[in-house]
Amino acid sequence: MVKVVKFGGSSVADGKQFEKVAAIIREEEARRLIVVSAPGKRFAEDIKTTDLLIHLADAAAEKKDYDAELQQVIERYTAIVESLSLPSQLLAELKAQLISLIETYQEDHPRLYDALMASGENENAKLMAAYLQQLGEEAYYVSPEEAGMVVTDDPGNARILPESYEKIAKLRERSGRLVIPGFFGVSKTGHIVTFPRGGSDITGSIIGAGAEVDLYENFTDVDSIYSVNPSLVEKPHEMEELTYREMRELAYAGFSVFHDEALHPVVKKKIPVCIKNTNHPQAAGTYIVDEREQRGLPVIGIASDKGFISINVRKYLMNKEVGFGRHLLHILAEEGISFEHTPSGIDNMSIIVREEYLNEEAEKKILERIQKELDVEEVHVERELAMVMVVGEGMAKTVGVAAKATTALAEAGVNIKMINQGSSEVSMMFGVNASEADLAVTSLYNACFAKAKA
Amino acid sequence: MVKVVKFGGSSVADGKQFEKVAAIIREEEARRLIVVSAPGKRFAEDIKTTDLLIHLADAAAEKKDYDAELQQVIERYTAIVESLSLPSQLLAELKAQLISLIETYQEDHPRLYDALMASGENENAKLMAAYLQQLGEEAYYVSPEEAGMVVTDDPGNARILPESYEKIAKLRERSGRLVIPGFFGVSKTGHIVTFPRGGSDITGSIIGAGAEVDLYENFTDVDSIYSVNPSLVEKPHEMEELTYREMRELAYAGFSVFHDEALHPVVKKKIPVCIKNTNHPQAAGTYIVDEREQRGLPVIGIASDKGFISINVRKYLMNKEVGFGRHLLHILAEEGISFEHTPSGIDNMSIIVREEYLNEEAEKKILERIQKELDVEEVHVERELAMVMVVGEGMAKTVGVAAKATTALAEAGVNIKMINQGSSEVSMMFGVNASEADLAVTSLYNACFAKAKA
């Protein structure tokens, strides 16, 4: 059995966290492929190493004296090295490496930022490998280049190239534990290129898919994924297991535990993922799997996201007008507006757009075009909407979930502006006023989970 | 004030019905524009005049001896003429007219059918005008040509040409009552061309819109529109008033009182429509209006229609794949399949198609194309679905309608497969198994209307 084990920023923030991580790794022979983030925050007001590296890049890019910024970065690693009694030689190498990167890329800003930001993970991986060796483990630092992570040459937005997977597969054959920095790959021209949001999770997912591991363990600082935002509900229900699809629906509506695109490589290979807590590894964690046995509650989680606009169009006999919908979507495409959903009735169609994608000027133009080109009876815009998602694979097969959910909303006095539940879907979506979104979430949570807790 | 008054086939089926109709017309000075259908059924096993005319056309088209068929048609009118003591000269003219049409069009079958079928209305209008004159009314038969109803030259599927309305407007200025046959117009080349389904209703609507009448009274054989199919519920709630939009939603889901396309001309002019009963004219009837005051129940009617198929498509990260939905709809368009709805979630999209539009071969091809061109994770077809519509303008502003409806379905044990309620919509659509459709309708009816009756 082989596992890829990824540790997030807070899990590798200082020497004490390194000790926990090492203990977790050493606990199982299978934890052979290790992906580490850059040192994260040690306390609420702390600054992440990646942000210190951005400050360093800012100074270097402006050709200012960057000594203070460089020193701040080095101090973060110094604290780790000293706490673990690692050879100070590592720090000298680290400093030389950072200066070398600045000199190489000072004139090419996108690459400068990418190279320096990637150093956060890269240097931390070296320290982790050194620490495991010091503990007597057979451990190796493996650079993304050595691992075979060849990516597109698009700074800040790298995509893995399909050819990488063949090379990554060979990592399985190597002996010892391999420590790989997250967050970046290497382009065909040999440059460091970072991934978009969710970077280290992406690395873990790619390594997991390439090496066809049995499990992708993702260590962070929570015991499990909660069924609802814990800032809204006290001690919410913890999920033991959820499917990729459930995770996707929740991620869409604002659950931030996992970036859904990051998981794509393992989803395609149906490799299970486990979210665990570095600070409490004995907790069972939450498994994200392709299919799960239906047991317990049909609903697994409730999420909400604000900031939506609905463009509502009405025209008598719309559904008999061939090509109406396509024309409407075409107008949006031509105006460069991406949309979220298009709930449609017989003679009406709504287009749900995220507020940030529709400025006043674009809105005006779109409304004019709809009126003129489609000769509609009515077109109007509804603002400050929230989407509330009730998610669970069991819902499609359980009678009464919709009744329970809508009754909870009615009793709380929430006006449901939209409902969308498609055939064989794993979620039910409610559109409500943004001002009522939190109330909607807590009412739904209490209705769906109250009994489970008692 | 001017009204257009249309009488359906059962309202003008025999002399006794003619007497009722004349009394209704004479009751109000405003009932000046009168549209009549062909004589309909007088009893359940009776044959409509239009069907007798089709038999006549069949025989004439096949160059058989059509004497018996002609005689059957003439007998229907003879019964009316004799019952009302109208001059028998009318029957001689009628017979001569039918023979003349057959001789003119015997080689041109589409026109032969159109001309003979249209005679049903045309000859009945002449009789109605004669009867009104006999009663001392200033009444005139006005042919569609004289009225100005110029239509496209598409036999069986005529569409009114916009230029007609100007001429029709002048009907208002004429004195006396004008009796116009429903169901057909005249092409620019002078041929009789019939309207599609809902023909006489279309004539009434066009005359009403052209003459900008104050009200379009549509006399049929029911006191009012019921809130639910009366074969499912005993003595259902009667609607006093509903909006065009509500009517459209109900018509879509199988309410057959009015053909929704027929209403389009009056809808555009916001002319109110009233459904009344020729056999019980003192009943208030049901008004169909552009806007109504919200009073009483938020739900106005419940309808259902069976025979739907859902094609369900799933793909991880679908909503981030630009153009996915458009590509999917493009495949359907290329295969010539029109669809009803496309409820969509984050990573899935369903396409609801009427069963009659999707044969086995087309289905196989579409599924293959979706799988191949869109590289989806899953595509499957769900059959024997029914759409149940809960309709009412008041729903969007009333908290708890969804709860009431879904609770009723849950209590009846109906599994909801789809829910669609869009922002500012006047309806909520539930997808259920066809076998549970009637149960769904009665449960919803009882939940939404029970209190209103008590």
Side-chain angles (χ1 to χ4, degrees):
Chain A
M1 195 197 244
V2 178
K3 293 179 179 181
V4 61
V5 197
K6 181 253 164 181
F7 295 93
S10 66
S11 301
V12 287
D14 59 20
K16 221 173 137 188
Q17 291 300 88
F18 264 62
E19 288 173 21
K20 290 183 194 168
V21 166
I24 288 167
I25 292 169
R26 299 177 78 193
E27 197 178 26
E28 289 190 27
E29 194 54 51
R31 287 175 175 150
R32 292 213 288 112
L33 300 171
I34 294 137
V35 174
V36 296
S37 297
K41 291 185 181 186
R42 293 159 295 184
F43 42 90
E45 299 76 24
D46 200 12
I47 302 172
K48 287 182 183 178
T49 309
T50 306
D51 291 329
L52 296 177
L53 286 160
I54 290 171
H55 297 161
L56 175 57
D58 288 343
E62 292 172 29
K63 304 216 169 147
K64 289 187 189 162
D65 174 14
Y66 54 75
D67 218 50
E69 288 80 3
L70 178 61
Q71 199 47 44
Q72 281 200 293
V73 172
I74 289 169
E75 270 169 19
R76 283 301 305 262
Y77 292 102
T78 304
I80 295 168
V81 165
E82 287 180 354
S83 159
L84 302 173
S85 313
L86 292 173
S88 59
Q89 171 65 11
L90 287 165
L91 292 171
E93 286 169 12
L94 189 158
K95 183 171 180 180
Q97 171 69 7
L98 290 173
I99 292 170
S100 154
L101 288 173
I102 290 170
E103 282 167 3
T104 306
Y105 293 119
Q106 199 156 21
E107 302 304 324
D108 185 350
H109 293 178
R111 292 209 191 282
L112 175 68
Y113 278 90
D114 257 23
L116 286 181
M117 283 164 72
S119 297
E121 278 73 9
N122 200 39
E123 301 304 325
N124 222 25
K126 289 177 190 165
L127 297 195
M128 183 61 75
Y131 180 53
L132 289 169
Q133 286 159 8
Q134 178 174 291
L135 293 172
E137 290 288 322
E138 183 192 355
Y140 307 93
Y141 158 78
V142 176
S143 73
E145 186 170 13
E146 191 187 341
M149 295 192 53
V150 187
V151 297
T152 56
D153 195 11
D154 184 5
N157 197 29
R159 301 269 151 182
I160 194 78
L161 292 174
E163 65 218 57
S164 302
Y165 287 110
E166 213 172 309
K167 192 154 181 211
I168 294 168
K170 299 204 175 108
L171 293 179
R172 255 187 104 110
E173 294 158 21
R174 289 185 53 169
S175 74
R177 309 202 196 250
L178 312 182
V179 185
I180 305 157
F183 190 39
F184 70 100
V186 177
S187 72
K188 283 196 168 173
T189 47
H191 293 291
I192 290 165
V193 195
T194 64
F195 289 120
R197 203 154 69 90
S200 291
D201 286 340
I202 296 176
T203 300
S205 187
I206 290 168
I207 297 289
E212 298 199 342
V213 299
D214 300 283
L215 181 64
Y216 173 12
E217 288 182 318
N218 194 295
F219 279 84
T220 172
D221 51 9
V222 292
D223 273 4
S224 61
I225 304 182
Y226 293 118
S227 288
V228 68
N229 182 343
S231 74
L232 294 177
V233 172
E234 217 182 321
K235 284 194 192 163
H237 187 81
E238 297 179 359
M239 297 183 197
E240 283 173 36
E241 197 177 49
L242 76 165
T243 66
Y244 301 136
R245 291 170 292 280
E246 291 171 328
M247 189 274 305
R248 254 289 280 168
E249 305 274 336
L250 292 167
Y252 171 81
F255 266 43
S256 58
V257 174
F258 230 112
H259 191 246
D260 45 9
E261 281 184 62
L263 273 196
H264 206 189
V266 285
V267 168
K268 277 200 278 191
K269 291 277 177 79
K270 300 188 179 178
I271 293 167
V273 179
C274 184
I275 306 286
K276 285 185 73 87
N277 190 350
T278 299
N279 306 314
H280 187 209
Q282 58 275 36
T286 299
Y287 282 79
I288 311 177
V289 297
D290 183 50
E291 283 188 44
R292 66 186 177 94
E293 235 181 280
Q294 195 52 53
R295 55 184 177 205
L297 301 167
V299 173
I300 196 157
I302 293 158
S304 80
D305 201 8
K306 296 170 190 174
F308 292 93
I309 283 180
S310 174
I311 303 171
N312 305 319
V313 179
R314 170 178 295 286
K315 183 176 188 180
Y316 193 75
L317 297 179
M318 181 191 287
N319 87 327
K320 295 194 176 165
E321 193 171 326
V322 174
F324 185 94
R326 277 200 290 170
H327 191 155
L328 185 54
L329 299 188
H330 181 71
I331 291 174
L332 270 94
E334 280 198 348
E335 300 300 327
I337 306 302
S338 73
F339 54 87
E340 301 295 312
H341 301 277
T342 57
S344 62
I346 312 304
D347 282 350
N348 51 12
M349 190 164 172
S350 295
I351 300 162
I352 314 297
V353 179
R354 283 191 191 266
E355 258 164 22
E356 68 227 59
Y357 297 150
L358 191 70
N359 61 35
E360 220 169 288
E361 196 189 347
E363 179 184 320
K364 196 168 159 247
K365 187 146 181 224
I366 284 168
L367 295 192
E368 275 173 13
R369 285 192 63 182
I370 291 173
Q371 188 73 64
K372 196 174 146 199
E373 294 174 29
L374 292 166
D375 188 27
V376 299
E377 274 158 32
E378 193 188 326
V379 51
H380 76 274
V381 166
E382 206 162 356
R383 290 164 201 293
E384 294 188 13
L385 295 176
M387 297 295 148
V388 178
M389 307 275 290
V390 179
V391 177
E393 297 266 0
M395 282 169 27
K397 290 190 178 68
T398 311
V399 171
V401 179
K404 191 182 270 188
T406 52
T407 302
L409 293 174
E411 283 172 2
V414 173
N415 191 8
I416 304 170
K417 294 176 152 285
M418 271 174 266
I419 309 180
N420 184 20
Q421 184 212 314
S423 193
S424 82
E425 267 189 46
V426 300
S427 71
M428 203 179 299
M429 191 185 78
F430 296 102
V432 302
N433 282 323
S435 60
E436 298 186 316
D438 290 349
L439 176 61
V441 169
T442 51
S443 320
L444 289 167
Y445 177 82
N446 289 332
C448 296
F449 289 93
K451 268 184 195 156
K453 291 194 72 180
Chain B
M1 194 197 243
V2 178
K3 293 179 178 180
V4 61
V5 196
K6 181 253 167 182
F7 295 94
S10 66
S11 301
V12 288
D14 59 21
K16 222 175 136 186
Q17 292 300 88
F18 264 62
E19 289 172 20
K20 290 183 194 167
V21 166
I24 289 166
I25 292 169
R26 300 177 78 195
E27 200 178 23
E28 289 190 27
E29 194 55 47
R31 287 173 176 150
R32 293 211 289 114
L33 300 171
I34 294 138
V35 175
V36 296
S37 297
K41 291 185 181 187
R42 293 159 294 184
F43 42 89
E45 298 76 26
D46 200 11
I47 303 171
K48 288 180 182 178
T49 311
T50 306
D51 290 329
L52 296 177
L53 285 160
I54 290 171
H55 298 160
L56 174 59
D58 288 343
E62 292 173 29
K63 305 214 169 149
K64 288 186 190 164
D65 174 14
Y66 54 75
D67 219 51
E69 286 82 1
L70 179 60
Q71 200 47 46
Q72 281 201 294
V73 172
I74 290 169
E75 271 168 19
R76 284 298 307 263
Y77 291 102
T78 304
I80 295 168
V81 165
E82 287 180 354
S83 159
L84 302 172
S85 313
L86 292 174
S88 58
Q89 170 66 12
L90 287 165
L91 291 170
E93 286 170 13
L94 188 157
K95 184 171 179 178
Q97 170 71 6
L98 290 172
I99 293 169
S100 155
L101 288 173
I102 290 170
E103 283 168 1
T104 308
Y105 293 120
Q106 199 156 19
E107 301 304 323
D108 186 348
H109 293 178
R111 292 207 190 282
L112 176 68
Y113 279 88
D114 257 22
L116 286 180
M117 283 164 71
S119 298
E121 278 73 9
N122 202 36
E123 301 304 325
N124 223 25
K126 290 178 190 166
L127 298 194
M128 184 60 75
Y131 179 54
L132 289 170
Q133 286 159 7
Q134 179 175 289
L135 293 171
E137 290 289 321
E138 183 191 355
Y140 307 93
Y141 158 77
V142 175
S143 73
E145 187 171 12
E146 192 188 341
M149 295 191 54
V150 188
V151 299
T152 56
D153 195 10
D154 184 5
N157 198 28
R159 302 268 152 181
I160 193 78
L161 293 174
E163 65 217 57
S164 302
Y165 288 109
E166 212 172 310
K167 194 155 178 210
I168 294 168
K170 300 205 175 105
L171 294 178
R172 255 186 105 110
E173 296 157 21
R174 289 183 55 169
S175 74
R177 308 202 196 250
L178 312 181
V179 185
I180 305 156
F183 189 40
F184 70 101
V186 178
S187 72
K188 283 194 168 174
T189 48
H191 294 291
I192 289 165
V193 194
T194 64
F195 289 120
R197 203 155 68 92
S200 292
D201 285 340
I202 296 176
T203 301
S205 187
I206 290 168
I207 297 290
E212 298 199 341
V213 299
D214 300 284
L215 180 64
Y216 173 13
E217 287 182 320
N218 195 294
F219 280 84
T220 173
D221 51 9
V222 292
D223 274 3
S224 62
I225 305 182
Y226 293 118
S227 288
V228 68
N229 182 343
S231 74
L232 294 177
V233 172
E234 220 181 319
K235 286 194 192 163
H237 187 81
E238 297 178 0
M239 297 183 198
E240 282 173 37
E241 196 177 50
L242 77 164
T243 65
Y244 302 136
R245 293 170 290 278
E246 290 171 330
M247 189 273 306
R248 254 289 281 167
E249 306 274 335
L250 291 166
Y252 171 81
F255 266 44
S256 58
V257 173
F258 230 112
H259 191 247
D260 46 9
E261 282 185 61
L263 273 197
H264 205 188
V266 284
V267 168
K268 277 199 277 191
K269 293 275 178 81
K270 301 190 176 176
I271 293 167
V273 179
C274 182
I275 306 286
K276 285 185 72 86
N277 190 350
T278 300
N279 306 313
H280 188 210
Q282 58 274 36
T286 299
Y287 282 79
I288 311 176
V289 296
D290 183 51
E291 283 189 45
R292 65 184 178 94
E293 234 181 282
Q294 195 52 53
R295 52 184 181 206
L297 301 166
V299 173
I300 195 157
I302 293 158
S304 80
D305 201 8
K306 295 170 191 174
F308 293 93
I309 283 181
S310 173
I311 303 171
N312 305 320
V313 179
R314 171 178 294 285
K315 184 175 188 179
Y316 193 78
L317 298 180
M318 182 192 286
N319 87 327
K320 294 192 178 166
E321 194 171 324
V322 175
F324 185 95
R326 278 202 288 170
H327 190 157
L328 185 54
L329 299 187
H330 182 70
I331 291 174
L332 269 97
E334 280 198 347
E335 299 300 327
I337 306 300
S338 73
F339 54 88
E340 302 295 313
H341 300 277
T342 56
S344 63
I346 312 303
D347 281 350
N348 51 12
M349 190 163 169
S350 295
I351 300 162
I352 313 296
V353 179
R354 283 192 191 265
E355 257 165 23
E356 67 227 60
Y357 297 150
L358 191 70
N359 62 35
E360 219 169 289
E361 195 188 346
E363 179 184 319
K364 196 169 158 247
K365 187 146 182 225
I366 285 168
L367 295 192
E368 275 172 12
R369 285 193 64 182
I370 290 172
Q371 188 72 65
K372 197 174 144 197
E373 295 173 28
L374 291 168
D375 187 27
V376 300
E377 272 158 34
E378 195 188 325
V379 51
H380 77 273
V381 166
E382 206 162 356
R383 287 164 204 294
E384 295 190 9
L385 294 177
M387 295 296 147
V388 178
M389 306 276 287
V390 179
V391 177
E393 296 266 359
M395 282 167 30
K397 290 191 178 68
T398 312
V399 170
V401 179
K404 190 182 269 187
T406 52
T407 301
L409 293 174
E411 282 172 4
V414 173
N415 190 8
I416 304 170
K417 295 176 151 284
M418 269 172 266
I419 309 179
N420 184 19
Q421 185 213 314
S423 193
S424 82
E425 267 190 44
V426 299
S427 72
M428 203 179 297
M429 191 187 77
F430 296 102
V432 303
N433 283 322
S435 60
E436 297 186 315
D438 289 350
L439 175 60
V441 169
T442 52
S443 320
L444 289 168
Y445 178 82
N446 290 333
C448 296
F449 289 94
K451 268 187 196 156
K453 290 193 74 183

